Amino acid sequence: MKDRIVTLATCSYTRAELLKSCLESEGVECFLKNINLLQSAIGSGVKLRIREEDLIKALQIIEDFKLSYVEKDEDTLGFDSQIVLNRIMVPVDFSDTTPRICDYAYNLAVKFQADILLFHTYFASAIETVPFSDSYTYNATVVEVLAEVEKNATKKIQELKDYLIARVKKDKVDGVEIDVALSGGIASSEIIGMTKTYKPDLLVMGSRGETAGTSNLLGSVVSSIIDNVNVPMLILSDKGENPDLDKIKEVMYATNFDRADFKAIATLKFITAPFLMNLHCVHFEEDTEKYSLEEHRMGMLRKYLKRTLGDDTIQCEVFKNEDKMKGIEAYVQDNNIGLIAIMARKHNLLERLFFGQMSRKLFVKTHMPILIFH
């Protein structure tokens, strides 16, 4: 039976050689992978691999090096001290859930003295209603329909703006401005384009994917936006009543030990701080062995968060279950999680969360908000 080989660290060639020498001097055999044979001195992404039976010993040896799965020679990883939430963009479709989504955005804006942009795209729905009897009728009808749709959209979005402005005045809030924008085109494309122009710090929108006979939570518009923007997105259920943010006390960030996790966790802490929410940083592992490389990674993450954020209250945990999705469900229920945060990219867990059977249990029934980072 072959010895199982595991990757201990991924780092630069120079650091990998240094660590290899250190480990081998202590009797731990090492193997290097992904070496640039032509320019080894400048290689990066070199994998340092060892036998699994030497894992615990190796981890103890490298602890003093403070070398983790995220470190690089040229990196001094730190969070951006200029994390802000000054602009909130709210795509609206004037459905029954629109006022509730606007209320969510308003509550966030009040906490951070942020501006709100209400954005509506009206073109796609108009085209679907156009008769195609002949070219003349088509052209005439398009002009008439679009003119009427734009007129109605302008009226409705102004009503939403007036509603929020009235709340600002009633609550005597300073530093919150409400603006609106309309656009003709395909909804997903126009929303993506507006994020590039307006540069919001957060998108707040409904899931728009819940239909009869399916447990899918995300519609095609939201899915496309997730794939094409780099803005944090707060996704709210289009069914039922989403929990009040002020009443949510436990928030879970599902980590897959990606480098982007650090900025995401810092941003999550910033967003949730005014609501006094408790943060859980959890990695869900199907390997149920007593100790694993993920345990060490979580330990390093815990130390790093304490050092960079100055906060040791974030609960970092590796949660093991033979069925990862059942493990997530159990953790959410046992810890009264009211909001889940997750990375959109490099995280197949996102698709499984939204399109698996568990999504109906957790999100359709509880209407739990989802915060997506990129």
Side-chain angles (χ1 to χ4, degrees):
M1 184 176 180
K2 287 187 177 181
D3 292 334
R4 184 181 174 188
I5 305 299
V6 298
T7 298
L8 181 64
T10 301
C11 49
S12 69
Y13 175 77
T14 302
R15 186 174 292 235
E17 282 287 4
L18 178 63
L19 188 57
K20 180 173 181 289
S21 298
C22 176
L23 290 171
E24 289 184 337
S25 68
E26 298 291 335
V28 177
E29 187 174 6
C30 302
F31 314 91
L32 299 184
K33 188 177 180 181
N34 293 349
I35 299 175
N36 186 331
L37 297 178
L38 297 179
Q39 294 177 296
S40 60
I42 63 173
S44 61
V46 176
K47 294 182 181 296
L48 178 68
R49 312 195 76 197
I50 62 172
R51 290 186 171 87
E52 187 177 32
E53 63 187 36
D54 294 327
L55 177 61
I56 295 178
K57 180 179 180 180
L59 292 176
Q60 293 171 343
I61 294 172
I62 71 169
E63 185 70 21
D64 292 337
F65 279 81
K66 296 181 179 179
L67 178 70
S68 74
Y69 58 97
V70 295
E71 289 180 328
K72 290 184 177 180
D73 289 332
E74 69 273 15
D75 262 346
T76 303
L77 288 175
F79 298 112
D80 185 353
S81 60
Q82 300 300 315
I83 294 175
V84 295
L85 207 169
N86 292 329
R87 294 181 174 185
I88 300 174
M89 178 174 156
V90 188
V92 295
D93 60 1
F94 307 133
S95 64
D96 293 341
T97 61
T98 294
R100 177 160 46 85
I101 293 171
C102 291
D103 286 338
Y104 249 77
Y106 173 78
N107 291 335
L108 281 165
V110 170
K111 295 288 187 181
F112 295 95
Q113 295 186 317
D115 295 336
I116 295 176
L117 175 68
L118 303 174
F119 180 68
H120 176 70
T121 302
Y122 56 83
F123 182 78
S125 59
I127 288 299
E128 292 174 358
T129 65
V130 172
F132 294 92
S133 57
D134 56 64
S135 59
Y136 175 80
T137 303
Y138 170 78
N139 291 332
T141 305
V142 166
V143 173
E144 294 171 1
V145 169
L146 289 183
E148 186 64 24
V149 169
E150 183 176 3
K151 179 181 177 180
N152 291 336
T154 301
K155 178 182 177 181
K156 290 180 178 179
I157 204 165
Q158 185 62 45
E159 290 173 351
L160 281 176
K161 178 180 179 180
D162 293 341
Y163 164 71
L164 291 178
I165 289 177
R167 289 199 62 182
V168 169
K169 292 180 179 178
K170 179 182 178 181
D171 297 338
K172 298 180 180 179
V173 175
D174 293 325
V176 176
E177 298 289 337
I178 312 296
D179 205 352
V180 299
L182 292 170
S183 178
I186 304 301
S188 57
S189 299
E190 294 303 311
I191 293 171
I192 293 167
M194 182 55 72
T195 61
K196 295 177 181 179
T197 301
Y198 184 66
K199 301 186 186 304
D201 301 304
L202 180 69
L203 275 173
V204 179
M205 60 190 305
S207 57
R208 300 189 62 188
E210 181 66 17
T211 56
T214 178
S215 61
N216 293 358
L217 284 175
L218 295 184
S220 58
V221 172
V222 179
S223 297
S224 178
I225 294 169
I226 290 174
D227 291 338
N228 291 282
V229 302
N230 293 311
V231 180
M233 298 174 61
L234 181 62
I235 307 297
L236 305 174
S237 171
D238 284 342
K239 301 294 182 181
E241 293 294 330
N242 285 283
D244 189 334
L245 283 174
D246 285 308
K247 295 180 180 179
I248 296 175
K249 295 306 176 186
E250 308 297 327
V251 179
M252 185 187 82
Y253 180 84
T255 177
N256 203 30
F257 301 118
D258 190 284
R259 287 182 58 81
D261 284 346
F262 294 101
K263 178 61 179 293
I265 294 171
T267 304
L268 179 61
K269 184 177 186 299
F270 176 80
I271 292 174
T272 58
F275 299 94
L276 302 178
M277 297 178 182
N278 301 314
L279 267 57
H280 300 246
C281 182
V282 189
H283 174 74
F284 295 93
E285 179 63 37
E286 293 175 347
D287 185 353
T288 57
E289 292 184 6
K290 184 176 180 180
Y291 193 87
S292 65
L293 182 58
E294 282 68 28
E295 298 277 3
H296 174 70
R297 288 178 169 179
M298 186 60 77
M300 297 298 292
L301 175 59
R302 184 184 297 110
K303 292 179 182 179
Y304 191 83
L305 292 175
K306 182 178 180 180
R307 183 171 73 248
T308 54
L309 291 178
D311 184 356
D312 59 0
T313 63
I314 300 177
Q315 184 172 329
C316 298
E317 182 178 354
V318 175
F319 192 89
K320 297 182 179 182
N321 192 295
E322 292 181 354
D323 186 320
K324 183 180 292 187
M325 303 311 293
K326 289 184 178 179
I328 295 174
E329 181 180 355
Y331 191 92
V332 167
Q333 293 177 347
D334 293 345
N335 292 275
N336 297 315
I337 301 298
L339 183 150
I340 288 182
I342 195 170
M343 288 293 299
R345 60 188 178 87
K346 296 183 180 179
H347 214 316
N348 60 8
L349 189 60
L350 179 65
E351 182 175 352
R352 294 175 67 185
L353 276 174
F354 281 118
F355 296 102
Q357 288 299 317
M358 190 196 70
S359 63
R360 179 168 291 278
K361 279 189 176 181
L362 286 182
F363 306 127
V364 176
K365 291 185 178 180
T366 65
H367 313 295
M368 186 183 303
I370 307 293
L371 184 58
I372 299 176
F373 294 101
H374 295 81

